[in-house]
Amino acid sequence: CRDLNGELHELDSQWRTDSCHDCSCSEGAIDCCSSFLTPSDYDEENCVSILNKETCTYKVVEKDDHSKECPVHNWVG
């Protein structure tokens, strides 16, 4: 299988992309899905969600002070 970056993967192999998607190669297809939960219910006016690509997790923080986390009421994944 050849992924979107042109990299070849063996049949029946699995890998995680740089954008935190888990992919697998089967005969004739590559299937990918997100490996993380996405915050969907938080104060978007005052807060921002940031994806940590090393841990594949989101953190929701205040726009003006990234050291302060914001409450998240719902996650989608």
Side-chain angles (χ1 to χ4, degrees), residues 10-77:
E10 290 186 29
L11 190 62
D12 297 323
S13 65
Q14 298 178 350
W15 67 96
R16 181 168 282 176
T17 68
D18 290 340
S19 59
C20 295
H21 287 82
D22 289 330
C23 298
S24 63
C25 172
S26 59
E27 193 167 329
I30 292 179
D31 293 310
C32 297
C33 62
S34 62
S35 61
F36 52 85
L37 295 175
T38 303
S40 66
D41 185 9
Y42 62 92
D43 181 359
E44 294 185 39
E45 185 175 321
N46 297 306
C47 302
V48 62
S49 63
I50 301 171
L51 178 63
N52 179 331
K53 290 188 177 182
E54 289 184 22
T55 62
C56 295
T57 58
Y58 270 102
K59 188 174 190 177
V60 180
V61 294
E62 291 183 6
K63 287 181 179 178
D64 297 332
D65 185 353
H66 286 193
S67 69
K68 295 181 181 177
E69 289 192 43
C70 297
V72 178
H73 305 289
N74 195 24
W75 296 82
V76 177

